């Protein structure tokens, strides 16, 4: 720490440098821009010194790794002890095809699985539903039943590898498929580990793949919290996601503020149910984007840990682990270009490095071809190798929080913390998170940020290599993934056989019990599991909840 006298000297000497050296230099060496800004529109000064962070109290605001407020990392030794989980987001076509991809990635060094589902699955429809036609396996794997889940993880040791599943509206049901599959394989559900995204608030805010209205959706989420800590203690029952908020066009600051605000809202709903915060908070996890502004992304992750630790402490959490901001990161899909797709490897490398320097616990690196199609095997392997090179060759894992103490990083981290609270004040003026969603606050903020960003690209105020500068007119030569054309037909036939062969009386009995429980106040997870074990399909189970809860219709906000 510097005392006031030293800070005054630094300020005086900087002003002298600015006047006598810097200003004279730029008269003959004009700067590229009149003003430099990051992606959150914060103006970046030419130089940062101790005077910019003099107000910070090191022990209170920064601290040490593994100690409150965890800004420098949730573990004392971070990657010196254990590397992040190499978790490639994968899924396409049928369960059979995706199963082969998982085995391929595990063979090449992936250390955790991450499931991408197709849109019918995300919306709770079976593959043979009329609304599913034309969407089978396009953006992920199609999973309509426990039978599909059994095929998806055939011969994969789910008692030894953790699985993350990006599913929201029907998350409880798909989680039920996974649990039932483990039980059918005689694997104790108390030892399986993984994550369900289960974050419905960001669906209303950004991604739009909701099913039910907010209140019953929040009920289902709290049901998973309660069932999880009691029955499956190794499972993260939510992954509070900023990734899709960012992909919808938000700034890094908006991603940070909206995501952690959603997290606090989930905690409040669970506590309102009567759950003890220290029972469920240790299994809450987060999911962030890694975009192009290198230092802003690093500051975002550090700020997130500080904010979360402080907020959970205010809400009464006592266990240190309840205060941990544990998060997965995915590089920015929205930043990838179809033009010159090979250069996406460079973008992804920088984004991955930011996530690692920011202290992520898990990482997915996008493949170079994702602006054109779902990843080919070669592209996915290169993306995985990118993580492995950073881990094994770069040296960035040798010390904890290597950028900690940078005047710029600490200034930017603190600024993002303060501006997050400014955003929360705006949300409170709407009456809280759900009223702000209903009144379109988040949607407008994101839309305005996306418009500004696109306008900057079109006016060449922001350069995107290969899009608005450094362009080339060339044929694309990388391999593109092709899916099994018979996959959809095979899936539909499997559904027909499943409905014919299952114990119909058991199925009808369990569906009826679920309906009655949904009409009451009981935790629905045991009833969902009974339906799943009787081979009720995703669509059939979801329809019961649709009948009871209704479907959400977004209000007109523009």
């Amino acid at each position: 720490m510097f005392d006031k006298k030293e800070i005054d000297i630094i300020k005086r000497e900087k002003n002298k440098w600015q006047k006598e050296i810097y200003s004279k230099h730029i008269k003959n060496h004009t700067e590229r821009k009149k003003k430099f800004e990051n992606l959150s529109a914060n103006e970046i000064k030419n130089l940062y010194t101790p005077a910019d962070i003099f107000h910070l109290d090191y022990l209170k605001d920064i601290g040490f790794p593994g100690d409150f407020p965890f800004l420098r990392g949730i573990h004392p030794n971070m990657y010196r002890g254990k590397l992040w989980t190499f978790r490639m987001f994968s899924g396409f076509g049928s369960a059979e095809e995706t199963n082969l991809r998982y085995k391929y990635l595990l063979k090449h060094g992936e250390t955790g699985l991450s499931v991408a589902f197709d849109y019918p699955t995300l919306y709770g429809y079976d593959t043979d539903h009329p609304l599913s036609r034309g969407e089978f396996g396009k953006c992920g794997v199609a999973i309509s039943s426990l039978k599909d889940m059994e095929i998806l993880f055939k011969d994969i040791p789910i008692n030894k590898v953790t699985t993350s599943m990006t599913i929201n509206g029907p998350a409880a049901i798909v989680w039920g498929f996974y649990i039932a599959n483990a039980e059918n394989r005689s694997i104790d559900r108390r030892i399986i580990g993984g994550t369900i995204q289960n974050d419905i608030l960001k669906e209303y805010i950004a991604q739009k793949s909701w099913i039910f209205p907010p209140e019953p959706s929040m009920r289902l989420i709290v049901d998973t919290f309660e069932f999880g800590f009691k029955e499956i203690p190794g499972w993260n029952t939510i992954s509070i996601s900023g990734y899709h908020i960012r992909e919808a066009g938000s700034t890094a600051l908006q991603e940070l503020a909206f995501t952690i605000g959603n997290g606090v809202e989930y905690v409040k709903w669970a506590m309102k149910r009567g759950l003890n915060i220290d029972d469920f908070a240790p299994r809450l996890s987060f999911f962030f984007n890694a975009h192009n502004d290198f230092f802003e992304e690093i500051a975002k992750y550090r700020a997130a840990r500080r904010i979360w630790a402080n907020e959970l402490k205010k809400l009464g959490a006592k266990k240190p682990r309840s205060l941990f901001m544990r998060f997965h990161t995915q590089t920015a899909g929205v930043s990838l270009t179809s033009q010159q797709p090979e250069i996406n490897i460079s973008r992804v490398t920088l984004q991955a490095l930011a996530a690692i320097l920011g202290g992520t616990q898990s990482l997915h690196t996008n493949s170079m071809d994702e602006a054109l199609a779902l990843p080919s095997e070669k592209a996915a392997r290169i993306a995985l190798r990118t993580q492995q090179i950073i881990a094994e060759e770069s040296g960035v894992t040798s010390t904890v929080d290597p950028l900690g103490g940078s005047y710029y990083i600490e200034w930017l981290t603190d600024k993002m913390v303060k501006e997050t609270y400014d955003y929360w004040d705006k949300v409170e003026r709407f009456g809280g998170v759900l009223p702000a969603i209903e009144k379109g606050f988040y949607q407008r903020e994101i839309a305005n940020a996306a418009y500004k960003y696109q306008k900057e690209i079109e006016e060449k105020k922001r350069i995107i290599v290969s899009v608005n500068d450094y362009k080339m007119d060339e044929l694309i030569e990388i391999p593109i993934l092709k899916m099994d054309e018979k996959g959809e037909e095979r899936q539909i036939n499997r559904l027909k056989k499943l409905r014919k062969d299952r114990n119909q009386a058991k199925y009808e009995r369990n569906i009826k019990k679920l309906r009655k429980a949904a009409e009451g106040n009981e935790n629905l997870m045991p009833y969902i599991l009974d339906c799943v074990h009787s081979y009720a399909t995703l669509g059939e189970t979801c329809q019961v909840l649709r009948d009871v809860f209704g479907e959400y219709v977004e209000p007109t906000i523009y």
Side-chain angles (χ1 to χ4, degrees), residues 316-378:
K318 299 291 191 297
K319 292 180 180 177
R321 191 174 177 85
S322 297
L323 309 179
F324 284 7
M325 155 72 71
R326 298 175 302 113
F327 66 94
H328 170 73
T329 310
Q330 181 172 342
T331 57
V334 74
S335 73
L336 304 183
T337 62
S338 58
Q339 303 94 326
Q340 302 178 48
E342 294 92 340
I343 67 173
N344 288 324
I345 298 172
S346 300
R347 290 189 177 98
V348 167
T349 301
L350 286 171
Q351 293 165 4
L353 185 58
I356 292 158
L357 290 172
T360 193
Q361 276 65 64
S362 172
L363 180 62
H364 164 82
T365 32
N366 287 329
S367 302
M368 63 178 169
D369 54 359
E370 289 190 44
L372 299 163
L374 293 176
S376 68
E377 278 193 353
K378 181 177 181 179

Side-chain angles (χ1 to χ4, degrees), residues 121-137:
T121 306
L122 294 177
Y123 280 104
Y125 292 117
D126 294 334
T127 296
D128 58 357
H129 191 282
L131 291 177
S132 301
R133 298 311 298 264
E135 291 296 330
F136 172 81

Side-chain angles (χ1 to χ4, degrees), residues 102-383:
Y102 290 163
K103 290 172 181 174
Y104 174 84
L105 290 169
L106 289 168
K107 178 182 176 182
H108 285 280
E110 178 174 62
T111 55
L113 298 175
S114 183
V115 186
F117 297 97
D118 70 358
Y119 259 100
T121 306
L122 294 177
Y123 280 104
Y125 292 117
D126 294 334
T127 296
D128 58 357
H129 191 282
L131 291 177
S132 301
R133 298 311 298 264
E135 291 296 330
F136 172 81
K138 291 286 180 67
C139 68
V141 62
I143 299 295
S144 298
S145 69
L146 172 56
K147 181 62 67 177
D148 294 334
M149 190 67 80
E150 290 167 349
I151 295 168
L152 183 65
F153 289 99
K154 189 175 187 294
D155 300 323
I156 291 175
I158 59 174
N159 57 331
K160 296 179 181 178
V161 63
T162 59
T163 301
S164 174
M165 295 186 285
T166 301
I167 192 81
N168 295 289
I173 302 168
V174 173
W175 188 33
F177 289 157
Y178 194 89
I179 298 166
N181 178 39
E183 291 176 333
N184 287 351
R185 290 170 58 175
S186 300
I187 297 171
D188 185 348
R189 67 189 187 189
R190 297 188 68 82
I191 68 169
I192 59 173
T195 305
I196 40 171
Q197 191 162 100
N198 205 20
D199 176 6
I200 204 62
L201 291 177
K202 62 88 179 171
E203 295 297 330
Y204 302 129
I205 289 170
Q207 186 167 249
K208 313 297 185 181
S209 60
W210 58 68
I211 301 175
F212 316 115
E215 286 77 10
S217 293
M218 295 295 278
R219 171 191 172 182
L220 282 166
I221 289 167
V222 177
D223 284 351
T224 63
F225 288 3
E226 184 177 30
F227 186 81
F229 77 75
K230 290 179 178 178
E231 299 291 333
I232 311 179
W235 200 276
N236 302 319
T237 45
I238 195 168
S239 177
I240 305 153
S241 176
Y243 184 83
H244 305 94
I245 292 172
R246 193 66 179 280
E247 292 289 288
S250 82
T251 65
L253 173 61
Q254 289 168 340
E255 178 192 359
L256 175 65
F258 298 168
T259 304
I260 303 182
N262 288 348
V264 170
E265 187 73 2
Y266 289 124
V267 172
K268 289 178 178 177
W269 276 72
M271 293 176 71
K272 186 178 179 181
R273 168 82 66 90
L275 303 187
N276 184 305
I277 190 170
D278 282 317
D279 284 338
F280 67 86
R283 301 315 308 182
L284 305 181
S285 64
F286 286 79
F287 176 23
F288 287 112
N289 197 295
H291 213 287
N292 284 335
D293 195 308
F294 188 70
F295 295 112
E296 183 179 33
E297 296 303 297
I298 295 167
K300 177 183 72 181
Y301 307 130
R302 300 171 88 248
R305 284 192 292 268
R306 175 173 147 190
I307 296 168
W308 185 247
N310 277 292
E311 291 306 306
L312 268 285
K313 195 172 186 179
K314 288 179 191 175
L315 289 168
K318 299 291 191 297
K319 292 180 180 177
R321 191 174 177 85
S322 297
L323 309 179
F324 284 7
M325 155 72 71
R326 298 175 302 113
F327 66 94
H328 170 73
T329 310
Q330 181 172 342
T331 57
V334 74
S335 73
L336 304 183
T337 62
S338 58
Q339 303 94 326
Q340 302 178 48
E342 294 92 340
I343 67 173
N344 288 324
I345 298 172
S346 300
R347 290 189 177 98
V348 167
T349 301
L350 286 171
Q351 293 165 4
L353 185 58
I356 292 158
L357 290 172
T360 193
Q361 276 65 64
S362 172
L363 180 62
H364 164 82
T365 32
N366 287 329
S367 302
M368 63 178 169
D369 54 359
E370 289 190 44
L372 299 163
L374 293 176
S376 68
E377 278 193 353
K378 181 177 181 179
R381 187 179 70 247
I382 291 170

